[in-house]
Amino acid sequence: MNVLVILIPVSLVLGGLGLVAFLWSLRANQYEDLEGDAWRILSDDDTRPPE
Amino acid sequence: MSDTAACPACIGIPDAILAKAASRGVEQIMLSLPAIHCVACITGVERALERLDGVASARVNLSMKRVTVGLDRPVAPETLIDALELAGFEARSLDSSLLSAEKDPVGSALMTRIAVSGFAMMNVMLMSVAIWSGAMGATQHMFHLISAAISIPAVAYAGQPFFQHAWSALRVRRLNMDVPISLALILTTGMSLFETVYGGEHAYFEAAVSLVFFLLIGRYLDHRSRKAAASAAAQLAALEVPRVMRLRDGVREMVDFADLAVGDLVLVLPGGRIPVDGTVTEGASQIDRSMLTGESRLHHAETGAHVTAGEVNMTGPLTIRAATVGMDTTLRKMVTMVDAAEAVRNKYTAIADRAAAFYSPMVHLLALVTCTGWIIATGDVRLSINIAVAVLIITCPCALGLAVPAVSTIAAGRLFRAGLLVKDGTALERLAEVDTVVFDKTGTLTMPVAARDTLSADEQAVALALTQDASHPVSQAIAAALDGVTPASLTDQMEHPGKGLSAIWNGRMVKLGSGAWLGAGVGTYLQVGQDIPRRIKLHAGLRDGAQELVAAWQKQGLVVHLVSGDDRTETSRVARMLGIDRWQAETQPEDKIHYIEALSEAGANVLMVGDGLNDTGALTAAYASLSPATAADASRAASDIVLLNDSLVPLIELPLVARAAKKRIVENFAISAAYNVVAIPIAVAGFATPLLAAIAMSTSSITVLVNALRLKGRV
């Protein structure tokens, strides 16, 4: 059972990383236009969203 | 746009004024693009806009079907729309106040809370699985402690929207859905902490965080549909800034509508809407009263004639002396009348609110009765409170909180893709109960079309060549009616503002314009050389999809009526074409309201479909209402649903989707009730465990969501 001392912090850190990654993508407006971005990747033009 | 193709309304205005009118501090413009659907549309729109002078950036949002245009210098939205229309994309202007709504801080705060509670739920669940599988003693105690360390801050942070709403309801001594939710959250967390500290067996931490998680999802969906409704309202709240051209000492200046005084002279160019009630002091023109009265016939106005705000000036510039301004104009009075009707309109209570009103007191009562019952039976306060908390958790409205928002989000999304904007949250529920439809005629089922049968083939070719680049409403109607004709080749095309168009064709002068200009009677005429001018008849043609729509709705069991302000011959002709038996012509705006009230009193749930200002009262009086995007602002504001496309075809499935949505909502309530019926006796009897609570909560929420998702398929 001593392995829990390592495993629980590890699982919490991994979950926390996922949380931080999600919050970052949310703040970076990655969910604003899901449908459009799915199509844009097929386009040859390399346009960037305006800041 | 080149000068030759500019609209006659712009020709009269000096360039400097146009530029000034456009420069109202606009740096970003948003346009609605109802028809875009693919990657070619995205690049097409962005390229068409970025080619324009003054456009810094253009970014299409395909999900919202709109484009945000960044500008280096002020550019009128009309210029952008013209460029897009030329490139083949339908575009409409959006209110720039939407820009602030675009950021949506409330939505992203809710999303952050969902993420935090989701993270907490996953980790606490992980610990709980170990406990459910039989972790005992020190391990169980440690897992409870870690769960507490994760879930107490998570609940305190993520549950804030519920705590705030509950507190604001309690402060005014009322109960809402958030009161039992907050109570359950606080009691569950507090009780579990107490049990953890004293080494108890049952801790409901995972129930508390999953409760927050599922309810936040429901709250987020609810917020999204509300935001869509609010932005729809903002979108419809008239972009056309009421700017009018005032004549003072012979100088033209653009002023705010509000700055006009009685006795001011106002110049209204062809194609413009008359802003005030007054008398014509100079000029002669045809005016279109269809917005106010529904008549499709044009009226003649000359010096001394009385005109009313809301009418559209068609053929010549008019100078009008304002008799009434501001709130006193007929137009404003009509709007006020509508507001009054709105105030007394029976407010429909949404199914969710009815459920909540029944539910909240029930839950509290049940928990209280359980608690006192167990205290009397056993005398063990700790056990009794434990069981009461279990009852609160089990009955907590996870599924109830998701039942309506999930369904309305999916239904509104489906309708939005078809080109329908649902403005009101309860619109779908009300639409599902509609059994009678009242259509307005002019502008809703019909659009003005020029008759081509009075013209010879050559004349048709000349008329099309003359009108195809002009932007006057009559010209556009003629050009649209002559679709398919090969235009003749013309030289020396000229526009004569307020008179008509002229050009040289095969060495002969051709003219198209008002009868007064060509020395003929009232109406629009075409003259080739020195021949006798030929009248071009304008009549009402059916809007695209009108026949299919009426037939389909009749097949769906709806009773269709046609009520118009137009004369009998025209109304009966349209009714016959569409197969509508019940029609009434020459109906005044207040008679339309009476017509609908009579139907409602006879027990019908009436859907009003109309676009004119004369329909606004009827739209408000009806059980549910619908208007096309081309409708008057007041009418769109009064409608529950707005059709963004020109074609009426998307409306066909509307009643079916609404009925299906209502069915799903009722089913969802039945599902959550069924879960409660099974789980409550177990909880009251004291057999509830954290595992049971977690299972009941998750499965009921997921069942409800899956049931709502079924709306995406065939209805």
Side-chain angles (χ1 to χ4, degrees), chain A residues 1 4-5 8 11-19 22-23 26-27 29 31-37 39-45 47-50, chain B residues 37-39 42-43 46-47 50 57-65 102-103 108 111-112 115-116 119 122-123 126-127 139 142-143 146 150 157 417:
Chain A
M1 279 297 171
L4 285 179
V5 177
I8 288 176
S11 87
L12 284 181
V13 166
L14 285 178
L17 277 181
L19 179 65
F22 174 75
L23 290 181
L26 185 69
R27 300 266 149 86
N29 293 335
Y31 302 95
E32 293 293 301
D33 182 16
L34 294 173
E35 212 178 316
D37 291 338
W39 280 106
R40 269 175 208 277
I41 197 151
L42 300 175
S43 154
D44 288 334
D45 292 2
T47 53
R48 293 175 66 75
Chain B
H37 58 276
C38 64
V39 66
I42 296 180
T43 44
E46 289 181 353
R47 282 203 192 130
E50 277 162 2
S57 67
R59 183 80 180 173
V60 171
N61 186 327
L62 188 62
S63 317
M64 305 293 288
K65 291 196 197 276
E102 183 78 336
K103 290 285 173 276
S108 61
M111 200 35 125
T112 314
V116 169
F119 161 79
M122 282 192 297
N123 286 289
L126 219 59
M127 313 272 168
T139 321
M142 182 182 76
F143 279 6
I146 298 173
I150 298 171
Y157 170 70
R417 274 190 296 280

Side-chain angles (χ1 to χ4, degrees), chain B residues 506-527:
Chain B
N506 288 353
R508 300 172 77 186
M509 181 72 138
V510 287
K511 289 176 178 175
L512 188 152
S514 70
W517 182 46
L518 296 172
V522 175
T524 306
Y525 287 81
L526 175 70
Q527 185 180 35

Side-chain angles (χ1 to χ4, degrees), chain B residues 264 279 393 397 489 510:
Chain B
D264 273 347
T279 44
I393 297 169
S489 64
V510 287

Side-chain angles (χ1 to χ4, degrees), chain B residues 405-431:
Chain B
V407 173
S408 49
T409 304
I410 289 164
R414 180 187 174 134
L415 292 173
F416 180 74
R417 274 190 296 280
L420 290 165
L421 211 57
V422 182
K423 273 177 55 197
D424 191 289
T426 63
L428 285 172
E429 290 175 26
R430 280 180 285 129
L431 259 173

